[in-house]
Amino acid sequence: MDFLPDAIVTCILVYVTNAKDVASASCVSKRWKESIPYLNKLVFHRNIFDDVKRFSPDEIIEQMVSSINKLEELVVYCPFSGSGLASWLSMAGHSLQKLELKMDDNLIDLNSCSRKLDSIGAATNLESLKLWGVNMTRGPKWHTFHKLKNLEIVGAVTDDSNLRAALGACPNLSNLLLLGCEGVTDVFIELPHLEKCKLDFNGLGNCSLTVNSRNLQHLEVQGFSGIRVLETQFLRDLIIANTAGRVSALDFGKLVALESLEMRGVQWCWHAIHYMLQLASEVKHLLMKVEFTGDFDALQPFPEIDIVDFFNSHPKLTKFEIHGAMFAALCQRNSLRNVDSRFMIPCLEEVVVTVRSPLNAEQKMSTLESLINYGKKLRKMRIRILQMKSSHSSTDDFFEDICKFTHSHRRIVSIE
């Protein structure tokens, strides 16, 4: 080992990031032990200290962190204390660029959680911060992270003001991910450099969201009933979902750059659906997985949708995924009333249809035939049959019709 060129030793050590492997590598040879200070990443896995009795995890982590000259990335999944974290970051905080911490070892002890959060402020040069299991019911005492571009928090308990304070300390974020967060009702995000944002909030699905980020390109939200996005000129991908509540109020600027739109949830108000479909006239990929509409608690089916008007209003649509209620709305008796010889679906290449009921079987088969006949560029249609009630008298006949349809267009159509 002592005869290996420096370049090869360096190349090997780049892949040695697990703290346990680093400790073992230092025993390989004197040459390798002398190379440990030049590592730039350490990872402490969840159960790494299960068999260690002589020293505490805080002491071992501190010793290893202090042995590295310029630590750039630190990942800690094992339990640690607030005082331990403060000690490591006092030594390595000036060089750290990426920090990932699993902090949920004691969510009940609010003081301990606050100390941990406050300690992170010592790593002033962070570019990426990832936190798991955070009690943020007290605002973190952070100075401004001017270099922080990526912030990811999974499983946080917080409130509106403390979340806003935490985001305010990160003014230059380009990527924000908040998953499984609880305790908020009104989220306001104003980050001028934000490009990608994913928000998933637990609860009754009645939160409200306002985003003011002029460079926003990708937005994915779950758990909000009211959504307002002020700057949308660069927004390319938009996903709106609400599995617990009702999507009722939407306010977006012009979606001139939007290429992909996904609408998911149990219930949306019809005016919200209609509003988004009107705005997304230039969209290329559209997924509709909303089961019911209705402005109040009563669940209502979709109204009829004219298939000609729909595709004329979305001329660039290349991939269309239709689930349940939307497909049923396109399959009403009057949905094909405006079809004539000049009608054409110009860009549609792929269709995914989810069928859940044999009701209106004749109209559904007509709609499938129309998509084949008028979709001049259609090359793939997948029909998914999901939870169809076999007790219904027409189920077998409908399934047989689908099989015949699939056989007639076997180069394009398949059943899942």
Side-chain angles (χ1 to χ4, degrees), residues 122-391:
T124 55
N125 292 315
L126 283 179
E127 297 177 6
S128 176
L129 175 61
K130 300 180 182 181
L131 303 175
W132 301 73
V134 185
N135 189 328
M136 203 184 292
T137 50
R138 289 182 186 172
K141 297 176 182 178
W142 292 343
H143 298 294
T144 303
F145 292 107
H146 291 286
K147 296 182 179 180
L148 193 67
K149 304 295 184 182
N150 178 62
L151 176 63
E152 301 181 16
I153 300 177
V154 180
V157 179
T158 185
D159 55 37
D160 299 342
S161 60
N162 287 316
L163 178 60
R164 186 176 297 188
L167 296 180
C170 314
N172 297 315
L173 288 179
S174 60
N175 181 60
L176 173 64
L177 182 145
L178 304 175
L179 299 183
C181 297
E182 300 179 1
V184 298
T185 57
D186 187 5
V187 179
F188 183 83
I189 297 173
E190 188 169 21
L191 297 167
H193 304 288
L194 190 65
E195 297 178 359
K196 186 175 182 180
C197 181
K198 182 175 181 179
L199 310 174
D200 185 341
F201 285 72
N202 297 337
L204 300 176
N206 57 356
C207 300
S208 63
L209 169 68
T210 301
V211 181
N212 186 14
S213 302
R214 61 178 177 267
N215 292 321
L216 191 63
Q217 299 176 19
H218 176 96
L219 177 62
E220 181 175 350
V221 297
Q222 146 64 30
F224 296 92
S225 62
I227 303 168
R228 187 180 184 212
V229 183
L230 303 177
E231 301 279 355
T232 58
Q233 61 267 37
F234 299 116
L235 188 61
R236 294 200 309 263
D237 305 299
L238 176 60
I239 301 173
I240 302 174
N242 195 335
T243 58
R246 178 175 64 249
V247 177
S248 56
L250 300 175
D251 184 8
F252 286 78
K254 292 183 179 180
L255 300 175
V256 293
L258 193 68
E259 297 181 357
S260 177
L261 171 63
E262 297 186 16
M263 303 163 66
R264 302 173 179 268
V266 176
Q267 184 183 17
W268 282 49
C269 293
W270 177 250
H271 65 82
I273 296 175
H274 187 257
Y275 173 78
M276 287 308 303
L277 290 177
Q278 278 190 320
L279 277 184
S281 59
E282 303 295 308
V283 74
K284 295 179 181 179
H285 173 210
L286 176 61
L287 183 148
M288 288 287 299
K289 194 177 181 180
V290 180
E291 299 301 329
F292 299 98
T293 185
D295 294 339
F296 304 101
D297 291 339
L299 303 177
Q300 302 291 333
F302 280 28
E304 290 186 5
I305 297 177
D306 187 290
I307 195 170
V308 176
D309 289 345
F310 175 81
F311 283 105
N312 284 340
S313 301
H314 301 86
K316 296 182 180 180
L317 195 61
T318 58
K319 184 176 181 180
F320 189 25
E321 299 185 55
I322 330 168
H323 294 249
M326 182 66 179
F327 181 55
L330 287 169
C331 298
Q332 298 301 312
R333 188 174 301 278
N334 295 321
S335 296
L336 297 170
R337 64 182 178 273
N338 292 327
V339 175
D340 59 31
S341 58
R342 294 170 297 175
F343 175 60
M344 182 179 67
I345 306 174
C347 298
L348 191 64
E349 297 180 2
E350 183 177 353
V351 176
V352 180
V353 180
T354 299
V355 182
R356 301 186 63 174
S357 169
L359 297 177
N360 299 324
E362 184 177 348
Q363 283 80 21
K364 289 178 179 178
M365 295 310 303
S366 296
T367 300
L368 293 175
E369 286 284 0
S370 297
L371 293 173
I372 293 286
N373 294 334
Y374 300 107
K376 301 304 181 183
K377 293 184 178 181
L378 191 66
R379 54 182 177 81
K380 183 184 294 185
M381 175 186 288
R382 288 180 286 161
I383 303 175
R384 294 173 176 168
I385 300 175
L386 179 66
Q387 298 176 342
M388 190 181 294
K389 296 180 180 179
S390 59
S391 59

Side-chain angles (χ1 to χ4, degrees), residues 105-123:
D105 52 307
N106 190 359
L107 282 176
I108 300 175
D109 187 348
L110 182 57
N111 290 326
S112 174
C113 294
S114 296
R115 283 196 299 270
K116 290 180 180 180
L117 276 175
D118 294 344
S119 299
I120 295 172

Side-chain angles (χ1 to χ4, degrees), residues 20 47-57 59-60:
K20 194 171 185 178
N47 301 316
I48 191 172
F49 298 123
D50 283 359
D51 299 325
V52 177
K53 307 299 181 183
R54 186 176 176 182
F55 300 100
S56 70
E59 293 173 323
I60 297 174

Side-chain angles (χ1 to χ4, degrees), residues 1-12 31-32:
M1 291 293 182
D2 289 336
F3 297 100
L4 286 175
D6 291 342
I8 293 181
V9 173
T10 302
C11 185
I12 293 173
R31 173 89 175 284
W32 280 49

Side-chain angles (χ1 to χ4, degrees), residues 12-152:
I12 293 173
L13 289 177
V14 166
Y15 297 97
V16 182
T17 59
N18 187 325
K20 194 171 185 178
D21 295 336
V22 171
S24 300
S26 64
C27 301
V28 171
S29 69
K30 181 181 179 181
R31 173 89 175 284
W32 280 49
K33 185 177 182 179
E34 293 172 348
S35 300
I36 295 301
Y38 301 101
L39 292 175
N40 58 20
K41 179 179 179 179
L42 279 178
V43 180
F44 295 87
H45 290 288
R46 183 69 180 175
N47 301 316
I48 191 172
F49 298 123
D50 283 359
D51 299 325
V52 177
K53 307 299 181 183
R54 186 176 176 182
F55 300 100
S56 70
D58 284 350
E59 293 173 323
I60 297 174
I61 296 174
E62 180 176 345
Q63 182 178 355
M64 296 194 70
V65 168
S66 64
S67 68
I68 296 177
N69 294 338
K70 190 179 178 181
L71 187 64
E72 296 179 358
E73 183 171 357
L74 177 62
V75 180
V76 183
Y77 296 138
C78 62
F80 61 90
S81 69
S83 58
L85 178 62
S87 177
W88 322 328
L89 294 184
S90 67
M91 293 182 290
H94 64 284
S95 62
L96 270 183
Q97 298 176 10
K98 298 179 181 179
L99 179 62
E100 183 171 355
L101 302 172
K102 189 174 178 66
M103 303 177 69
D104 59 354
D105 52 307
N106 190 359
L107 282 176
I108 300 175
D109 187 348
L110 182 57
N111 290 326
S112 174
C113 294
S114 296
R115 283 196 299 270
K116 290 180 180 180
L117 276 175
D118 294 344
S119 299
I120 295 172
T124 55
N125 292 315
L126 283 179
E127 297 177 6
S128 176
L129 175 61
K130 300 180 182 181
L131 303 175
W132 301 73
V134 185
N135 189 328
M136 203 184 292
T137 50
R138 289 182 186 172
K141 297 176 182 178
W142 292 343
H143 298 294
T144 303
F145 292 107
H146 291 286
K147 296 182 179 180
L148 193 67
K149 304 295 184 182
N150 178 62
L151 176 63
E152 301 181 16

